[in-house]
Amino acid sequence: MVPRLLPLLLLLPGAASLRLFGSRRAPPAMSLSASTVGAPLPDVTLYSCKPGYRKFTEVPLQARCKDKLVALIGVPGAFTPGCSKSHVPSFVEARAELELWGVEEIIVVATNSPEIMQQWGDYIGAASAGVTFLSDYKGELSLALGALKEDAVFDRTSRFTLLVDDGEISGVFVPEDGDASTTYAPAVLAQLKA
């Protein structure tokens, strides 16, 4: 029965990050910590889509972050309570102040499909506030950063926020002792103001 369903499973959005039959990925290129500061952002392609379209648009991340300061937010999943009510809204609320301190773009990334990321951004009002939502549905960015949480069914991105200055990681914010607020906009602003 499973072999007959396999082709159908692969048609699902986000199927590239499905864990089938215990397959494993290569080890990460880095691990997010203070020692990551100064490292180049991984050369990966993320994906977006327009409302109502199933065609994905490729977004080369290094090119997107060239010649500007970007807040790159990694979240475990679209429509999850912590991401929808706290993490992403903290950046929407602080957007104007972040811009005053040089942040030119806020990008939210998760392993959900491009359609789901687009719908989530619209649903929580962050897309209309100028926040960009991109899909890492293949898990390439999350894996390269050492932020991919493998699961028996669906891989997820670990929660993080990075400051990326002209393609180089200049700030790393990860949960400390289970406290996710260390990845929210106030923590990023505190570093920018220091």
Side-chain angles (χ1 to χ4, degrees):
M1 182 71 164
V2 171
R4 291 175 49 199
L5 292 176
L6 188 57
L8 294 174
L9 282 173
L10 296 177
L11 293 175
L12 294 171
S17 63
L18 285 176
R19 285 270 140 277
L20 299 174
F21 312 114
S23 60
R24 291 285 173 227
R25 298 178 189 254
M30 67 177 73
S31 178
L32 291 178
S33 67
S35 64
T36 311
V37 172
L41 192 63
D43 187 15
V44 297
T45 299
L46 300 179
Y47 301 87
S48 67
C49 76
K50 295 178 184 174
Y53 291 89
R54 294 231 359 125
K55 184 177 179 183
F56 300 166
T57 302
E58 292 185 351
V59 181
L61 188 59
Q62 279 189 345
R64 184 68 177 247
C65 296
K66 186 162 178 55
D67 298 324
K68 60 182 170 181
L69 181 61
V70 175
L72 181 63
I73 305 165
V75 296
F79 295 100
T80 57
C83 304
S84 298
K85 294 180 181 177
S86 302
H87 195 181
V88 176
S90 76
F91 283 87
V92 173
E93 292 167 11
R95 182 167 173 71
E97 192 173 0
L98 286 163
E99 286 178 355
L100 287 174
W101 288 94
V103 176
E104 298 174 59
E105 186 171 14
I106 300 169
I107 299 174
V108 177
V109 176
T111 56
N112 295 94
S113 71
E115 300 100 334
I116 295 298
M117 292 299 287
Q118 179 269 314
Q119 292 167 5
W120 179 46
D122 289 345
Y123 179 77
I124 63 174
S128 63
V131 176
T132 303
F133 285 75
L134 299 176
S135 169
D136 183 26
Y137 79 95
K138 294 181 180 180
E140 293 174 349
L141 174 65
S142 302
L143 180 65
L145 292 172
L148 188 70
K149 294 192 300 188
E150 291 191 17
D151 185 71
V153 178
F154 185 77
D155 292 343
R156 295 196 176 272
T157 302
S158 295
R159 186 179 307 281
F160 66 82
T161 299
L162 299 178
L163 281 176
V164 180
D165 192 359
D166 192 20
E168 184 177 283
I169 298 171
S170 61
V172 177
F173 306 85
V174 293
E176 294 176 10
D177 299 322
D179 181 10
S181 69
T182 57
T183 65
Y184 296 177
V188 174
L189 281 166
Q191 180 173 316
L192 289 169
K193 293 175 181 180

